[in-house]
């Protein structure tokens, strides 16, 4: 066994990197590192070295075990089990999430990213007493849930004094982006040195050269191969195998079974671990039969619990003397924990055993496992002990699946269900179990595995309900991969199949199909165009009860797409009113209700619903849904002119996207960059959004990018470009009366302004008529204000002036300050062209003040140019003092300025409280302040914290003693 702290031969550079890591952790910083390389290359030895160098640190260790890969959070439990005394210090939602995941408490399945935040907080709490070093070996054999959570924590480490070091063969998607250190073969010189250290006799140079060449510097192979060679082979090379790394080396008693590690190979096809495994195999074969059975028993137990192993051994009649030969051969040790010399030994012992021998040891382990304390691992052992279909074991697995799913272990639940299906004798029940497993696996993100299980289910007899569920699952899998393509059509087919079986589920699926078709837009595949999908939804059976909110949403959207905007408005209004009046007890509809309010130009309900949706999502810790809730709220704040609050949500969305891998496009970031006139940032965002949206089949994402481009170009007065961008945003309307939520409503006014300024009045007039068809149907001040502003651009004389004044009055009664400021600007530009300079100056001054206060830089510069053209020298705003705040410091400072506590900031940005405090102390020093209350006065512009404190509309003054920013937030509910 390796000695902790001993520098492995030939690993000076790797050891130096690990020394720096542990030094940084002792100094108060956090570090993450992924060691990766082929089996036997020395990753475990480097982790042992790091352990030995960790004086002054607390060390926590986790090792993946192949047979435990399907037990959710098993690896995480290894890490956190010694830290139960710290759970009470976590925020209540985090503590509860972790307790549910570990089976210590009951409740709804927690979001896995909330568990990740809990683990991050727990590690931070432990490290507050002493620097903490977490060593995670054999990641490829850890359960997926644990890997995801640990990778999440590793990405959010900051100033916690935590080191998180992974050892794995190939860094998969879960560890992508973390700092890594490839561990490669030793140099020839170091390989010879290591080989010499393992020799007990003379070695022929030709043999030495061949071993060094064929092992390619793999340390485990270098150490183990000599053990399998006879003295004469070492001394003179006689009888030396042609390739000592071949998996087909001739051995006494027959050929060696293929025990190489899948996916690891070297040029020429030889397995790097083959020679080492051959050595291990010979040593195992030389052991007494009882010792080999004991090793198999230990290999089948993933816990390393020596007491459990010996209890199972006694049931098989294996005595305590059986361990000594394995220990003497250097293959395993049986101390406080059972430990193999190398994972390859465990793998070889288990995989080369006969099926009957495996069943025997799993049966013994099942009998030795406490059915109350560990029922799921007992069920897993019983399943592997079953020689054929077994209804009782299958039922036990199904119960384990339910418990795993309640803890949020969806992948584990699917694995239990898959095994249960294989053990279920009845074909119909077997197919149903496979279908449930496929659905669970899809929910866990295992798309390919879900497809395989779906095929298994469809091979058996399915009833009509199961066939409908299978259709729905196939559609959901298509939607997860490609939101365009076949997903809308397949969802519609599934909804139709449910119509005679389950009307409620049919209507819910029709609503999902409509949403999918709306998102797909121009990229929808054949049969999935939104109008076709809406026609199918319109023929769905009516609910037997009074329509629920979701029923009204379905009917409203269907009417909107099939009969025109005006037909859908009253139904969608009923949905909004029903929810507002408490007709629905669930908040599930919030994700669509704010969209309906936005579509209706109803800024009041959009404000209320988006705020409630965000509060509910945060309170529930539903981090998968959080990006959408943040976008909904940020868009309302951007239209309301509170760019400071919106920028905070944009940064929060970036943090959650980085932490969770969400694929939601940066919609609010696009709009923010367009309003602020940031050319370089917007160009990069547009390119990324268009590429990613096209890959996902999300046509609406491309439309958002085009619309925000139009806003940007209108701000800069580049009207031909603005007109072209707005036309592109509108072109996905295959039918002239087809109204997509939001984007067309916003793109059309941009088109009118750009077309009028470009002299394309006919095109502007057509778009203006289109706008009127929507705004007059809904009749809100926002809608009618935008319509009046657009019509004023085409009007002349008194009619134009009346329309401009109507636009300002109506928009002044709404929350939409960005459109109000632009109405003042357009009115001022018109007055100047009418040579009414005095009145023009008044409007342009108002516009300039509002646009500067909001932070709409390009539009403000346009207002300044117009104001100078009237003969007035526009006063430039004083530049904010510059500092050297980093992007992270600026985000934290902005949230602290807004009144959030350190734990609240930590939750928003997926950091630990200690990291937040660390950054705030640096912010205070850089800005020369001593309290959070001073931040509002001195905080400069910075990444994600625009210097754009919002002011109240020109027609209203804030209460005395109330800042403009505070007044704006009170109006928008930010």
């Amino acid at each position: 066994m390796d000695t902790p702290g001993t520098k492995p031969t030939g690993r000076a550079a790797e050891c130096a990197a690990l020394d720096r890591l542990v030094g940084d952790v002792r100094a108060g910083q956090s570090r993450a590192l992924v060691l990766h390389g082929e089996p036997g290359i020395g990753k475990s030895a480097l982790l042992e070295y790091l352990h030995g160098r960790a004086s002054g640190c607390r060390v926590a260790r986790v090792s993946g075990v192949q047979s435990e890969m399907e037990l959710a959070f098993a690896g995480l439990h290894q890490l956190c089990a010694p830290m139960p005394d710290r759970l009470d210090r976590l925020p209540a939602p985090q503590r509860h999430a972790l307790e549910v995941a570990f089976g210590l408490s009951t409740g709804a399945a927690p979001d896995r990213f909330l568990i990740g935040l809990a683990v991050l907080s727990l590690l931070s709490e432990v490290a507050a007493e002493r620097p903490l070093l977490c060593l995670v070996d054999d990641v490829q054999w850890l359960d997926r849930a644990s890997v995801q959570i640990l990778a999440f924590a590793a990405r959010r480490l900051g100033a916690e004094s935590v080191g998180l070091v992974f050892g794995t063969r190939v860094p998969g998607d879960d560890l992508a982006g973390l700092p890594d250190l490839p561990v490669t073969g030793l140099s020839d010189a170091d390989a010879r040195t290591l080989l010499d250290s393992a020799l007990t006799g003379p070695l022929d140079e030709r043999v030495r050269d061949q071993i060094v060449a064929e092992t390619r510097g793999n340390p485990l192979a270098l150490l183990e191969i000599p053990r399998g060679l006879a003295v004469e082979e070492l001394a003179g090379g006689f009888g030396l195998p042609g390739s000592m790394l071949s998996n087909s080396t001739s051995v006494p008693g027959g050929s060696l079974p293929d025990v190489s590690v899948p996916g690891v190979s070297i040029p020429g096809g030889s397995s790097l671990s083959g020679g080492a495994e051959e050595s291990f195999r010979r040593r195992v074969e030389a052991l007494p039969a009882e010792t080999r059975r004991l090793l198999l028993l230990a290999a089948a137990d993933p816990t390393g619990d020596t007491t459990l192993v010996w209890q199972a051994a006694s049931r098989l009649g294996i005595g305590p003397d059986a361990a000594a030969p394995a220990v003497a051969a250097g293959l395993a040790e049986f101390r406080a924990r059972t430990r193999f010399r190398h994972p390859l030994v465990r793998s070889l012992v288990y995989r080369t055993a006969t099926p009957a021998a495996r069943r025997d040891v799993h049966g013994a382990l099942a009998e030795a496992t406490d059915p109350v304390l560990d029922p799921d691992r007992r069920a897993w052992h019983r399943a592997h002990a079953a020689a054929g279909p077994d209804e009782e074991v299958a039922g036990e697995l199904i119960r384990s699946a339910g418990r795993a799913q309640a803890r949020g272990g969806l992948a584990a639940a699917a694995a239990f269900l898959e095994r249960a299906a294989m053990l279920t004798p009845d074909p119909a029940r077997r197919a149903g179990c496979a279908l449930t497993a496929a659905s669970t696996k899809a929910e866990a993100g295992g798309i390919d595995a879900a497809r395989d299980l779906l095929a298994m289910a469809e091979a058996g007899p399915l009833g009509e309900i199961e066939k409908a569920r299978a259709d729905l699952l196939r559609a959901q899998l298509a939607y997860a991969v490609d939101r365009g393509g076949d997903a809308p059509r397949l969802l519609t087919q599934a909804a139709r199949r449910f119509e005679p079986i389950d009307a409620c589920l049919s209507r819910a699926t029709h609503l999902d199909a409509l949403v999918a078709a709306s998102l797909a837009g121009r990229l929808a595949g054949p049969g999935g165009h939104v109008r076709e999908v809406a026609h199918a939804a319109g023929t769905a059976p009516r609910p037997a009860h009074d329509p629920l909110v979701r029923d009204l949403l379905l009917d409203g959207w269907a009417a909107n797409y099939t009969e025109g905007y005006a037909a859908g408005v009253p139904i969608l209004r009923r949905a909004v009113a029903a929810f507002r009046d408490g007709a629905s007890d669930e908040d599930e509809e919030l994700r669509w209700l704010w969209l309906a309010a936005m579509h209706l130009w109803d800024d009041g309900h959009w404000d209320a619903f988006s705020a409630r949706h965000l509060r509910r999502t945060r309170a529930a810790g539903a981090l998968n849904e959080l990006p959408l809730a943040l976008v909904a709220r940020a868009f309302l704040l951007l239209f309301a002119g509170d760019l400071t609050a919106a920028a905070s949500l944009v940064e929060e969305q970036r943090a959650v996207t980085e932490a969770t891998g969400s694929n939601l496009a940066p919609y609010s970031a696009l709009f923010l960059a367009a309003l602020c006139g940031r050319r370089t940032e917007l160009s990069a965002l547009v390119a990324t959004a268009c590429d990613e949206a096209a890959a996902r089949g999300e046509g609406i994402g491309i439309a958002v990018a085009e619309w925000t481009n139009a806003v940007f170009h209108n701000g800069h007065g580049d009207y031909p470009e603005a007109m072209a961008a707005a036309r592109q945003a509108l072109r996905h309307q295959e039918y002239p009366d087809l109204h997509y939520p939001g984007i067309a409503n916003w793109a059309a006014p941009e088109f009118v302004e750009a077309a009028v300024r470009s002299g394309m009045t006919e095109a502007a007039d057509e778009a203006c008529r289109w706008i009127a068809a929507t705004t007059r149907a809904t009749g809100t001040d926002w809608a009618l204000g935008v319509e009046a502003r657009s019509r004023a651009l085409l009007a002349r004389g008194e009619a134009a002036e009346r329309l401009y004044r109507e636009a300002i009055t109506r928009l002044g009664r709404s929350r939409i300050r960005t459109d109000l400021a632009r109405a003042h600007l357009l009115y001022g530009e018109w007055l100047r062209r009418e040579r009414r300079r005095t009145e023009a100056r008044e409007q342009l001054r108002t516009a300039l003040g509002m646009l500067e206060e909001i932070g709409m830089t390009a539009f403000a510069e346009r207002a300044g140019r117009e104001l100078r053209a009237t003969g007035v020298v526009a006063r430039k705003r004083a530049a904010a003092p510059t500092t050297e705040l980093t992007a992270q410091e600026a985000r934290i400072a902005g949230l602290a300025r807004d009144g959030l506590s350190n734990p609240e900031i930590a939750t928003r940005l997926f950091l630990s409280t200690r990291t937040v405090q660390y950054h705030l102390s640096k912010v205070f020093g850089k800005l020369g302040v001593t309290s959070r209350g001073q931040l509002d006065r001195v905080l400069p512009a910075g990444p994600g914290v625009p210097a754009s404190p919002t002011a109240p509309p020109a027609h209203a003054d804030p209460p005395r003693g109330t800042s403009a920013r505070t007044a704006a937030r009170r109006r928008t509910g930010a």
Side-chain angles (χ1 to χ4, degrees):
M1 304 292 176
D2 297 313
T3 303
T6 302
K7 185 177 294 186
T9 301
R11 298 300 185 195
E14 292 88 345
C15 291
L18 297 178
D19 287 340
R20 288 192 296 271
L21 182 145
V22 76
D24 289 344
V25 170
R26 287 198 198 97
Q29 296 300 304
S30 289
R31 293 290 182 265
L33 185 65
V34 179
L35 301 173
H36 59 93
E38 64 199 24
I41 202 65
K43 304 180 294 294
S44 297
L46 288 170
L47 291 177
E48 288 292 341
Y49 169 80
L50 184 58
H51 187 183
R53 301 287 290 177
S55 60
C57 298
R58 176 172 178 169
V59 178
R61 303 199 66 161
V62 181
S63 293
V65 178
Q66 197 169 10
S67 59
E68 198 171 29
M69 290 175 67
E70 302 295 352
L71 294 177
F73 306 116
L76 200 61
H77 194 269
Q78 278 190 58
L79 180 71
C80 300
M83 311 173 186
D85 55 315
R86 307 300 175 117
L87 284 177
D88 289 342
R89 303 187 187 183
L90 303 186
Q94 296 179 24
R95 181 177 66 251
H96 182 65
L98 206 54
E99 289 174 343
V100 171
F102 290 163
L104 302 175
S105 180
T106 58
D111 186 290
R112 69 181 185 277
F113 296 111
L114 184 61
I115 299 173
L117 194 56
V119 169
L120 179 64
S121 298
L122 181 63
L123 298 181
S124 177
E125 284 294 332
V126 172
E129 178 181 314
R130 189 163 41 136
L132 175 64
L133 194 61
C134 302
L135 308 181
V136 187
D137 202 1
D138 290 316
V139 172
Q140 72 276 0
W141 288 337
L142 273 185
D143 63 282
R144 180 78 186 279
S146 292
V147 177
Q148 289 177 330
I149 297 305
L150 292 173
F152 175 98
R155 290 189 180 92
R156 311 313 299 169
L157 291 171
E160 299 87 357
S161 296
V162 175
L164 194 48
V165 184
F166 301 89
T168 188
R169 293 176 181 174
V170 179
D173 293 340
D174 293 321
L175 299 179
L178 291 175
D180 72 312
L181 179 62
V183 185
T184 57
L186 300 175
S187 68
D188 285 356
D190 288 328
R192 287 186 174 89
T193 300
L194 183 62
L195 180 58
D196 289 343
S197 71
L199 297 173
T200 58
L203 179 64
D204 185 275
E205 279 300 314
R206 291 170 299 171
V207 178
R208 185 198 307 274
D209 290 344
Q210 185 174 356
I211 293 175
V212 168
E214 293 196 0
T215 58
R216 288 169 172 80
N218 185 284
L220 181 65
L222 286 164
L223 292 172
E224 297 300 330
I225 283 178
R227 295 175 181 257
L229 296 177
V231 175
E232 63 272 16
E233 292 174 327
L234 289 173
F238 300 104
L240 186 68
S243 173
M244 287 172 290
L245 295 182
S246 170
N247 281 336
S248 59
T249 303
S250 176
V251 295
S255 63
L256 172 70
D258 181 2
V259 292
S260 64
V261 180
V264 181
S265 62
I266 60 173
S270 296
S271 166
L272 279 170
S273 60
E277 287 196 3
E278 164 65 357
S279 172
F280 286 142
R281 191 201 65 79
R282 290 187 179 187
R283 289 153 67 186
V284 169
E285 271 197 348
L287 297 173
E290 289 296 277
T291 302
R292 293 200 303 271
R293 291 184 76 202
L294 178 63
L295 284 179
L296 178 58
L297 187 61
D301 167 49
T303 65
D305 184 341
T306 302
T307 301
L308 178 67
V309 169
W310 283 117
Q311 287 175 349
S314 68
R315 286 169 166 80
L316 294 174
I318 301 172
D321 294 340
V327 174
L331 293 171
E333 58 184 29
F334 297 83
R335 297 179 182 174
R337 295 183 65 82
T338 304
R339 186 182 175 195
F340 285 89
R341 173 180 174 82
H342 192 276
L344 289 176
V345 179
R346 178 193 290 270
S347 175
L348 183 145
V349 167
Y350 189 83
R351 286 190 291 162
T352 57
T354 65
R358 292 184 199 170
R359 289 195 296 271
D360 286 344
V361 297
H362 279 294
L365 286 166
E367 292 177 12
T369 300
D370 191 309
V372 176
L373 297 179
D374 206 348
D376 298 336
R377 190 169 277 111
R378 179 176 183 272
W380 193 248
H381 283 307
R382 289 195 70 194
H384 282 78
D390 188 316
E391 192 74 54
E392 180 187 347
V393 175
E396 193 171 337
L397 287 168
I398 291 171
R399 290 190 291 276
S400 289
R403 288 190 291 268
Q405 189 154 356
R407 295 195 300 269
L410 294 171
F416 281 122
L417 290 167
E418 181 179 10
R419 188 71 177 174
M422 295 176 181
L423 294 177
T424 300
D426 182 73
R429 285 202 296 273
R430 180 168 61 248
C433 195
L435 181 58
T436 303
S439 179
T440 307
K441 182 66 79 172
E443 191 178 351
I447 303 300
D448 292 337
R451 286 197 178 110
D452 292 341
L453 286 165
L454 180 57
M456 177 182 173
E458 291 176 326
L462 293 175
E464 285 304 310
I465 294 178
E466 285 79 13
K467 288 178 181 177
R469 285 176 56 204
D471 280 355
L472 177 57
L473 178 57
R474 188 180 298 104
Q476 291 169 336
L477 291 172
Y479 181 69
V481 174
D482 184 356
R483 294 186 181 180
D486 290 335
R489 175 180 60 81
L490 291 173
L491 284 165
T492 299
Q493 288 178 358
R496 283 175 168 161
R497 189 185 277 271
F498 273 118
E499 286 177 2
I501 301 170
D502 188 332
C504 289
L505 185 53
S506 171
R507 292 179 65 81
T509 307
H510 273 301
L511 182 57
D512 288 340
L514 263 177
V515 171
S518 298
L519 291 174
R522 69 186 76 167
L523 300 180
H529 189 279
V530 72
R531 173 157 289 183
E532 298 170 283
V533 174
H535 273 298
T539 64
R542 309 299 306 162
H545 46 70
D546 289 339
L548 302 173
V549 170
R550 69 190 66 176
D551 294 313
L552 295 170
L553 286 172
L554 175 62
D555 293 340
W557 288 126
N560 173 81
Y561 292 128
T562 57
E563 302 173 42
Y565 183 86
V569 165
I571 308 174
L572 292 173
R573 276 186 174 157
R574 284 178 61 199
V576 168
F579 187 85
R580 180 197 62 206
D581 296 339
S584 173
D585 295 329
E586 299 292 334
D587 278 357
E588 183 180 344
E589 293 88 353
L590 277 172
R591 70 181 67 183
W592 310 131
L593 277 165
W594 69 262
L595 188 64
M598 178 188 77
H599 185 57
L600 295 171
W601 300 82
D602 184 348
D603 54 298
H605 280 110
W606 184 5
D607 181 10
F609 291 157
S610 65
R612 181 172 171 180
H613 186 204
L614 184 55
R615 284 197 302 271
R616 183 193 68 83
T617 304
R618 282 178 174 154
L623 302 192
N624 282 326
E625 190 176 337
L626 184 56
L628 180 63
L630 290 166
V631 167
R633 187 63 185 157
F635 255 74
L636 183 278
L637 294 173
L638 288 167
F639 274 113
D642 194 348
L643 269 61
T644 301
S648 176
L649 299 187
V650 168
E651 289 305 316
E652 186 176 347
Q653 187 197 345
R654 286 177 181 164
V656 72
T657 298
E658 175 190 332
T660 65
S662 165
N663 62 2
L664 187 67
Y667 295 129
S668 48
L670 283 161
F671 192 20
L672 176 62
L675 289 177
C676 294
R678 301 171 183 163
R679 185 182 302 273
T680 302
E681 179 182 346
L682 181 64
S683 296
L685 285 169
V686 165
T688 300
C690 287
D691 289 346
E692 292 180 353
R696 291 194 301 270
E698 195 172 303
I700 198 170
I702 299 174
V704 169
E706 292 161 347
W707 158 64
T708 53
N709 245 339
V711 173
F712 172 85
H713 288 300
N714 271 333
H716 284 274
D718 190 351
Y719 300 114
E721 288 290 333
M723 183 178 172
R727 189 193 299 276
Q728 286 291 103
L730 291 165
R731 78 174 174 85
H732 68 294
Q733 292 188 169
E734 185 175 329
Y735 306 98
D737 60 342
L738 192 59
H739 296 63
Y740 286 101
I743 309 306
N745 292 355
W746 306 332
E750 300 298 335
F751 181 85
V752 171
E753 181 175 338
V756 169
R757 292 288 192 252
S758 301
M760 306 289 288
T761 54
E762 251 185 70
D765 185 62
E766 181 183 353
C768 207
R769 289 196 299 273
W770 186 92
I771 291 170
T774 71
T775 57
R776 293 176 187 177
T778 187
T780 67
D781 280 320
W782 180 17
L784 295 176
V786 168
E787 180 200 341
R789 191 186 73 191
S790 299
R791 289 169 55 209
L793 285 162
L794 287 160
R796 297 177 180 275
E798 291 183 4
E801 182 158 21
R802 175 178 53 78
L803 287 167
Y804 277 125
R805 289 186 174 276
E806 179 187 348
I808 289 170
T809 299
R810 288 190 178 279
L811 291 169
R813 291 200 292 256
S814 77
R815 291 164 173 74
I816 311 303
R817 296 185 59 248
T818 51
D819 278 335
L820 174 61
R822 292 178 66 179
H824 281 292
L825 172 58
L826 290 171
Y827 186 25
E829 290 175 335
W830 180 82
L831 288 168
R832 188 182 73 78
R833 285 163 178 74
E834 293 291 308
R835 301 184 184 280
R836 295 162 59 179
R837 291 192 171 190
T838 301
E839 295 164 278
R841 289 168 187 160
E842 179 184 351
Q843 293 298 322
L844 292 169
R845 281 195 182 101
T846 299
L848 178 61
M850 291 184 68
L851 293 165
E852 286 185 333
E853 290 297 315
I854 290 172
M856 297 170 65
T857 306
F859 283 99
E861 290 174 354
R862 181 174 141 189
R865 289 193 299 271
E866 290 287 333
L867 191 56
R868 288 192 294 274
T870 67
V872 173
V873 177
R875 177 180 58 84
K876 291 186 177 181
R877 282 173 64 104
T882 60
T883 66
E884 296 178 356
L885 292 186
T886 66
Q888 187 80 299
E889 289 166 355
R891 288 193 288 269
I892 291 171
L895 293 172
R897 174 204 58 205
D898 293 343
L900 274 70
S901 66
N902 285 2
E904 289 170 331
I905 297 172
T907 300
R908 293 280 182 92
L909 297 183
F910 304 95
L911 302 170
S912 73
T913 304
R914 291 184 69 198
T915 292
V916 171
Q917 180 57 48
Y918 169 77
H919 284 301
L920 267 182
S921 65
K922 294 178 69 177
V923 167
F924 285 3
K926 289 181 179 182
L927 298 182
V929 299
T930 57
S931 71
R932 303 161 96 91
Q934 297 172 313
L935 289 173
D936 193 64
R937 175 171 52 83
V938 300
L939 192 63
V945 189
S948 53
T950 41
H955 59 278
D957 294 323
R960 180 169 297 178
T962 302
S963 71
R965 182 186 293 113
T966 302
R969 291 206 181 102
R970 286 177 179 171
R971 286 192 303 279
T972 60

